[in-house]
Amino acid sequence: DKDTVVSQRIVLVIVRRLGLNARDVYERLKTSGILNGYIVSSYDVLHTFGKEYLMEDLTDYMREKGVLN
């Protein structure tokens, strides 16, 4: 399913960038609403951005939502 593939790819990139546990990142994204409310629902637009821009955007948003320090 597309949503699962999208979720896994994004989580793995965030994990590699931040050096966090994959399950922890997934849970943070899911419980904050970022996973379904932003990543999955906006994937058609998000996937057109470069990886660096996308990761900066996502980590900034995670900080705004209190998911990252």
Side-chain angles (χ1 to χ4, degrees), residues 32-58:
S32 68
I34 296 172
L35 185 62
N36 291 315
Y38 185 62
I39 295 172
V40 173
S41 67
S42 302
Y43 183 72
D44 290 340
V45 173
L46 293 175
H47 87 278
T48 65
F49 299 144
K51 189 190 309 186
E52 286 302 313
Y53 177 84
L54 179 60
M55 286 303 98
E56 187 171 324
D57 180 63
L58 287 172

Side-chain angles (χ1 to χ4, degrees), residues 20-34:
L20 299 173
N21 176 282
R23 181 176 298 274
D24 184 42
V25 170
Y26 176 79
E27 286 301 319
R28 291 181 190 197
L29 293 172
K30 185 177 176 185
T31 58
S32 68
I34 296 172

